[in-house]
Amino acid sequence: MEECISVFDMLKIGVGPSSSHTLGPWRAAERFLSELETDNLFDKITRVRVDLYGSLSLTGKGHATDLAVMLGLSGQDPEYIPVQDIDGIIKKIENKNEINLGNKVVIPFYFLQDIVFNKNFLPFHANGLTFTAYLIDDTEYASTFYSIGGGFVVKEERINAKKKLEIKCAFPYPIQNAEELLQYTINLKKSISEVVYENEKSMRSEEEIHRELLRIWNTMLECMYIGCHSEGILPGGLNVRRRAFDMHQNLIGLANYTNPQEWLETIRKTEVKFRQILKWVSCFALAVNEVNAALGRVVTAPTNGSSGVIPAVLMYYLVIENHKAGDAEIKQFLMVAGEIGSIFKKGSTISAAMGGCQAEIGVSSAMAAAALCEVMGGTPEQVLMAAEIAMEHHLGMTCDPIGGLVQIPCIERNTMGAIKAINAAELAMETDAKNAKVPLDKVIETMWKTAKDMNSKYKETSEGGLAVAVNMADC
């Protein structure tokens, strides 16, 4: 049975800085709590230990993995927790040496001892973590999870994944690859977004789809707004100064507005020469990833480390390309982006720990390119071509974050991914897709082969590349 992945699986609201290293472990902690509750173990627990493995261990500190598991074990929801409360919750756990497990029972918790960073890799996936609950009868309950990218969490035996698969595979048009998607558009005489919409309607009402897609967009818009209006130094020790604030001030001047939507309308009135367009797109992407680096709320698209690309390209379309665009175009854009992302996840990976940064920035650029191409009037063939072009020019991109932080080179890479997406969409729009030499499915296959060939030093371990050439002391 084919795997059916919803747009809402690919575009998830959460907290930065990383979908695989923050959101995934947070969700794993929630699943561990659910298992404890199912087995009625809460009243028997005396202590909990968390073991992080592989990439989660090597770059976990910089990605706030330890904070994420504490917040998850505390019963906090990454989608709705007030981000301003995070520091207080963490400080309380650290100062009192105790944790309110699932908001049900308070147990001792010494974070320096009870969160263990193991550099060895578990065989199933580079991002493994094991939760162990010690019980009053001297027995233990342990459960291992794998954060496979984009906030997705599985267990090796995939029992839960199989249940989820059976529930979700009610899609009338199941899609495993780009060729299948294209055939549906031809046979049904529908656009890609229309095919995706039919699948989504098998799971949710039209009202819910409308509401949730716009909630995703409004989260993206607010994130850009916050990032463009926040200055200072990002946390983590690299002393990275926020750049979106200064860039935004230089672009918008003394304009008056009071909320994100008014801000969007104000930008539509600004000068749109080529240099300004480049700066605006870069500014939007920088803003999102600076918020992400500061543990702010972002939309995983398809990961946190690449969360600035899709908002930047969609914002470009709304404020530069089509001033009349509104809810319909926003929903169309997000549905296409989500579907392209799901095809990459099925055929390759969206985890930098498995595939390097081609799996994050490359995939997000392909998602954005395809979405932009459709809303600008591209045919389904051109849409898939846009995704192919964008990924083709990210193949082999390494993931080598300095200090394990999602800052250098991650933040800037989102600006590059966004610009490439716009360029890819334009190239596809100016091309007869019948003359395309490289199908999207071949690029996805090549990306996966490249990922498997890539040295582990360049897969989010901070053991190679810029992470070694430039150290914390240099910063």
Side-chain angles (χ1 to χ4, degrees):
M1 187 181 289
E2 293 183 335
E3 184 179 7
C4 295
I5 300 175
S6 166
V7 170
F8 301 104
D9 292 323
M10 297 306 304
L11 305 174
K12 295 189 280 288
I13 298 171
V15 172
S18 171
S19 51
S20 60
H21 287 55
T22 314
L23 181 59
W26 195 324
R27 291 301 190 194
E30 291 181 327
R31 293 219 354 220
F32 178 63
L33 293 179
S34 179
E35 292 179 4
L36 295 177
E37 185 168 20
T38 299
D39 290 350
N40 297 312
L41 296 177
F42 271 100
D43 293 337
K44 303 174 184 177
I45 297 171
T46 60
R47 177 187 163 217
V48 168
R49 165 177 161 144
V50 185
D51 283 273
L52 306 175
Y53 295 95
S55 181
L56 289 184
S57 171
L58 292 167
T59 61
K61 286 285 185 182
H63 288 67
T65 306
D66 48 350
L67 308 186
V69 295
M70 285 193 279
L71 291 164
L73 290 173
S74 300
Q76 304 296 328
D77 188 328
E79 190 168 346
Y80 295 101
I81 182 176
V83 291
Q84 65 272 16
D85 292 352
I86 290 176
D87 281 348
I89 296 169
I90 295 298
K91 282 185 172 64
K92 186 176 180 181
I93 295 171
E94 293 177 349
N95 293 338
K96 291 195 169 185
N97 292 321
E98 62 183 28
I99 194 167
N100 189 348
L101 195 65
N103 281 315
K104 293 179 181 294
V105 57
V106 177
I107 62 170
F109 190 85
Y110 300 87
F111 74 98
L112 292 176
Q113 301 170 29
D114 293 331
I115 300 178
V116 183
F117 292 81
N118 304 277
K119 291 186 177 181
N120 57 303
F121 286 70
L122 297 181
F124 183 71
H125 192 278
N127 292 333
L129 68 166
T130 299
F131 296 87
T132 304
Y134 297 87
L135 310 179
I136 54 177
D137 59 2
D138 292 328
T139 60
E140 302 172 4
Y141 177 87
S143 193
T144 298
F145 300 88
Y146 298 90
S147 179
I148 61 172
F152 289 88
V153 176
V154 299
K155 304 194 76 169
E156 187 168 355
E157 64 271 23
R158 291 181 176 267
I159 293 173
N160 293 327
K162 187 170 185 285
K163 290 179 181 176
K164 183 178 179 183
L165 187 67
E166 291 169 351
I167 294 169
K168 286 200 167 184
C169 277
F171 281 5
Y173 309 114
I175 298 160
Q176 193 66 20
N177 54 51
E179 181 57 34
E180 288 182 0
L181 173 58
L182 181 59
Q183 283 305 311
Y184 283 129
T185 67
I186 294 170
N187 297 340
L188 300 170
K189 295 181 172 57
K190 291 181 181 291
S191 67
I192 288 175
S193 61
E194 287 172 334
V195 174
V196 175
Y197 189 49
E198 291 303 313
N199 281 341
E200 292 297 331
K201 286 195 294 183
S202 71
M203 297 172 61
R204 297 173 175 83
S205 68
E206 293 185 23
E207 293 78 9
E208 184 181 0
I209 295 168
H210 172 85
R211 181 181 69 250
E212 290 304 302
L213 284 174
L214 291 185
R215 186 164 75 96
I216 286 169
W217 164 244
N218 286 324
T219 302
M220 290 178 171
L221 179 60
E222 183 178 34
C223 185
M224 286 184 281
Y225 185 82
I226 291 170
C228 284
H229 296 84
S230 301
E231 56 183 332
I233 304 297
L234 293 173
L238 289 178
N239 296 315
V240 174
R241 177 177 170 78
R242 290 176 180 260
R243 284 186 282 176
F245 179 86
D246 292 333
M247 186 178 287
H248 176 259
Q249 286 294 102
N250 291 334
L251 284 164
I252 206 163
L254 300 175
N256 293 316
Y257 48 84
T258 59
N259 58 59
Q261 188 59 43
E262 288 181 6
W263 176 60
L264 186 154
E265 297 295 342
T266 301
I267 297 171
R268 283 176 166 170
K269 300 173 185 176
T270 61
E271 190 175 33
V272 288
K273 292 180 180 178
F274 183 68
R275 284 188 66 196
Q276 278 71 30
I277 294 172
L278 281 176
K279 289 177 182 178
W280 272 121
V281 174
S282 297
C283 183
F284 298 144
L286 286 174
V288 171
N289 287 89
E290 287 172 356
V291 169
N292 179 64
L295 276 73
R297 177 157 284 115
V298 299
V299 176
T300 297
T303 68
N304 283 34
S306 62
S307 58
V309 176
I310 288 171
V313 175
L314 179 47
M315 190 69 161
Y316 156 81
Y317 175 72
L318 295 173
V319 300
I320 304 294
E321 197 64 39
N322 184 2
H323 288 192
K324 295 181 180 179
D327 291 354
E329 290 79 9
I330 290 167
K331 292 188 293 182
Q332 183 183 2
F333 189 104
L334 294 176
M335 284 191 286
V336 174
E339 185 58 47
I340 296 300
S342 76
I343 291 173
F344 273 96
K345 183 179 183 299
K346 293 166 190 169
S348 184
T349 180
I350 58 170
S351 167
M354 291 296 289
C357 205
Q358 61 176 353
E360 298 203 15
I361 295 296
V363 173
S364 64
S365 187
M367 292 166 68
L372 180 61
C373 187
E374 178 168 306
V375 295
M376 292 198 304
T379 65
E381 291 88 350
Q382 289 173 324
V383 170
L384 297 179
M385 187 179 187
E388 176 272 315
I389 293 170
M391 172 49 75
E392 185 178 333
H393 301 290
H394 283 93
L395 287 174
M397 179 176 279
T398 59
C399 181
D400 46 359
I402 297 173
L405 296 162
V406 193
Q407 296 181 19
I408 304 173
C410 321
I411 295 174
E412 280 185 359
R413 278 188 180 166
N414 279 262
T415 71
M416 301 300 169
I419 296 298
K420 281 187 181 181
I422 295 169
N423 194 18
E426 291 293 348
L427 285 173
M429 292 282 289
E430 294 298 322
T431 303
D432 184 344
K434 294 177 183 176
N435 297 324
K437 302 297 183 185
V438 184
L440 176 57
D441 287 328
K442 286 295 182 183
V443 168
I444 295 173
E445 179 184 332
T446 301
M447 177 196 157
W448 182 230
K449 288 179 179 177
T450 305
K452 289 188 285 188
D453 288 340
M454 190 179 288
N455 191 299
S456 63
K457 292 190 299 184
Y458 303 110
K459 295 180 180 181
E460 209 167 2
T461 61
S462 288
E463 293 183 323
L466 285 173
V468 173
V470 182
N471 58 46
M472 298 287 278
D474 294 322
C475 300

